[in-house]
Amino acid sequence: MEIPKHNAVLPDAPYALWESGELHDLLLLPHDGTRVEIIGGEIVVSPAPVVPHANIIQDISDALVKARLMDPAYPWVSSQGTNLTRIMTGDGYIPDLLVMAQDVRTAAAKAHAPGFMPDEVEMVVEVTSPSRSALDRPPADPHSETGRTKWSGYAQVKIAYYLLVDRSPKAAKTTLYSIPAQDSSAYLHEESWPFGETIRLPEPFDIEVDTSLWEPWKS
């Protein structure tokens, strides 16, 4: 389901309202998992994820938990549906999954932080949906100042790894982007796995994710 566009008069800049947590209510949106983000300076509203989408995120999170159970010294943990504050460009994202060091997540919890800063995050994970998939993928022209996406935003703030699970029937694959170039807001390296093939994330994560049950959305 795609949420239709509508106009709203706001008392402050969208990013300021997003960061303060007021934007959701000012837009009169239901508290049912509906997600509000600022992408490329524009307000983007997305419905709560459907079950296949949520299951993929859980599978990736479970792989991190399994690694930690096998090795208590394993440093990486995850956080779902948490704000990623991006002061540099005035954008604010809510990735499907954030991966960070255990001590970073613990410190944020103790500080009652509303979200995480880019330099606290090692990897972001997004799963595409039919209505918003273009915002998760690389833009048609990565060097253009218009049409920026989360892909370019994550690269601009130098998040080391971006894992994109593309559920489109035309793609049905997972891609790990790495080596972010801040000057061009682009990732310079990528590695992909088709659905059904085990994802093997390299160091520093060194985990495997079973994708045998992952399926593209129904077209």
Side-chain angles (χ1 to χ4, degrees):
M1 180 184 73
E2 183 170 0
I3 296 175
K5 293 183 178 180
H6 64 278
N7 296 322
V9 178
L10 301 176
D12 202 346
Y15 178 78
L17 296 170
W18 180 88
E19 190 175 31
S20 69
E22 301 172 81
L23 186 57
H24 197 284
D25 288 335
L26 286 168
L27 295 176
L28 303 177
L29 295 170
H31 289 273
D32 59 355
T34 299
R35 188 176 300 184
V36 182
E37 302 174 278
I38 310 295
I39 304 175
E42 296 186 356
I43 300 172
V44 176
V45 179
S46 304
V50 296
V51 172
H53 182 127
N55 285 350
I56 288 173
I57 293 302
Q58 192 62 54
D59 286 345
I60 298 169
S61 179
D62 286 350
L64 292 165
V65 172
K66 180 180 178 181
R68 195 168 181 81
L69 290 173
M70 294 179 65
D71 178 9
Y74 188 76
W76 306 112
V77 294
S78 64
S79 179
Q80 294 188 39
T82 309
N83 289 358
L84 180 63
T85 305
R86 302 192 53 251
I87 297 174
M88 288 179 61
T89 63
D91 276 13
Y93 302 162
I94 307 177
D96 283 315
L97 195 72
L98 292 169
V99 178
M100 72 288 294
Q102 171 69 59
D103 59 343
V104 169
R105 190 176 70 175
T106 300
K110 289 182 177 179
H112 301 280
F116 294 94
M117 297 293 292
D119 61 1
E120 297 176 317
V121 174
E122 187 71 11
M123 181 170 69
V124 291
V125 181
E126 297 282 7
V127 180
T128 63
S129 58
S131 62
R132 300 294 184 217
S133 57
L135 295 175
D136 295 325
R137 301 178 185 130
D141 180 3
H143 305 292
S144 172
E145 291 299 321
T146 60
R148 292 165 56 81
T149 67
K150 284 184 170 183
W151 180 88
S152 49
Y154 292 140
Q156 184 183 24
V157 294
K158 298 185 70 174
I159 291 179
Y161 299 94
Y162 174 31
L163 189 68
L164 176 61
V165 182
D166 197 336
R167 294 188 62 233
S168 166
K170 296 181 179 180
K173 66 178 181 179
T174 302
T175 302
L176 179 66
Y177 295 99
S178 59
I179 312 180
Q182 190 173 34
D183 57 345
S184 60
S185 300
Y187 283 97
L188 305 182
H189 184 264
E190 63 182 77
E191 181 178 2
S192 295
W193 300 264
F195 282 10
E197 183 177 305
T198 299
I199 297 170
R200 292 178 171 82
L201 294 183
E203 292 288 351
F205 308 108
D206 194 25
I207 61 172
E208 295 186 351
V209 183
D210 179 14
T211 74
S212 59
L213 298 179
W214 295 8
E215 295 180 346
W217 64 65
K218 301 299 182 182
S219 54

